[in-house]
Amino acid sequence: MATALQSLNAHAKQRLDRHKTAGMPRGEKLELYRRFLKTEEHRIKLYHRTGASGMRVTKRRADLLDVLLGHLYLDAVDAAEGGSPEITLAAIGGYGRGRLNPCSDVDLLFLHPLGAAGLPKVASEFVESMLYMLYDCGFKVGHAVRSTKETIKEANGDDRTKSSIIESRLLFGDEGLYNELVSEFNKHCIKGYEREYLKTRLEDIRLRHEKWHGT
């Protein structure tokens, strides 16, 4: 798997060289990203056809998106006007586990110290620029913009949100802010609530299986 990731990074370095793309108009850059994705998705399809398991395929798709998001994040940083956007990006849900099925939503958490209510213009534009590029590349995106406090409140009000945060991982940004989220989340959402949470999740899983006839 390490060799596959090294190969992917080498392809990205060659085809998405930031020294060449830094001054590109958005339309040209979008076309470049689409071609890159098409080529790498084809490589993954061939990998699957040669016998690779579903788990390995979903890992490669997650790695591919990690690489793309790295470029989109830096693009958004470069374009930010009026100071640092202070946005920390985390993968949540299935993507947070490092697995991404074909046609699955890409679930992202944009973490900001002030949260959605107090989001500065530079941070709002940063988030929009990343999301629009992802949409234009053909991805379905589930996202939230929150502070640590807002994330804790939302997680304690919705068990599916709580599950998605349990499976989160840092992608880019302030490691300290992300670690603060993890610490506060464990303190206020997990410790002491384990039995209640698992009981609710098991019932949710049972209902989902019932709804879709056990598939």
Side-chain angles (χ1 to χ4, degrees), residues 36-170:
F36 173 73
L37 285 167
K38 184 177 181 179
T39 299
E40 296 305 321
E41 289 277 14
H42 183 66
R43 293 181 199 274
I44 293 172
K45 186 178 290 186
L46 293 177
Y47 177 63
H48 181 50
R49 286 177 178 173
T50 59
S53 68
M55 290 292 284
R56 288 180 178 273
V57 168
T58 56
K59 174 64 168 66
R60 283 204 180 183
R61 293 198 77 248
D63 288 343
L64 174 57
L65 189 57
D66 285 358
V67 169
L68 176 66
L69 281 170
H71 284 267
L72 298 187
Y73 188 90
L74 291 175
D75 286 346
V77 169
D78 291 344
E81 297 179 0
S84 169
E86 295 186 283
I87 291 287
T88 295
L89 184 62
I92 59 178
Y95 180 41
R97 291 194 300 271
R99 299 285 185 267
L100 191 65
N101 279 306
C103 302
S104 288
D105 288 2
V106 176
D107 293 322
L108 299 172
L109 173 64
F110 294 90
L111 198 61
H112 189 278
L114 298 180
L119 199 66
K121 182 181 178 182
V122 63
S124 179
E125 291 175 346
F126 179 96
V127 172
E128 287 181 2
S129 69
M130 286 198 68
L131 289 176
Y132 287 149
M133 191 65 92
L134 280 171
Y135 294 145
D136 289 343
C137 283
F139 290 100
K140 294 186 292 183
V141 185
H143 76 281
V145 182
R146 298 189 183 113
S147 65
T148 293
K149 184 177 180 180
E150 289 170 339
T151 304
I152 301 304
K153 182 179 179 180
E154 185 68 23
N156 277 329
D158 180 71
D159 281 312
R160 292 193 181 184
T161 298
K162 184 180 287 189
S163 294
S164 72
I165 303 301
I166 287 174
E167 299 172 322
S168 71
R169 63 188 171 95
L170 175 65

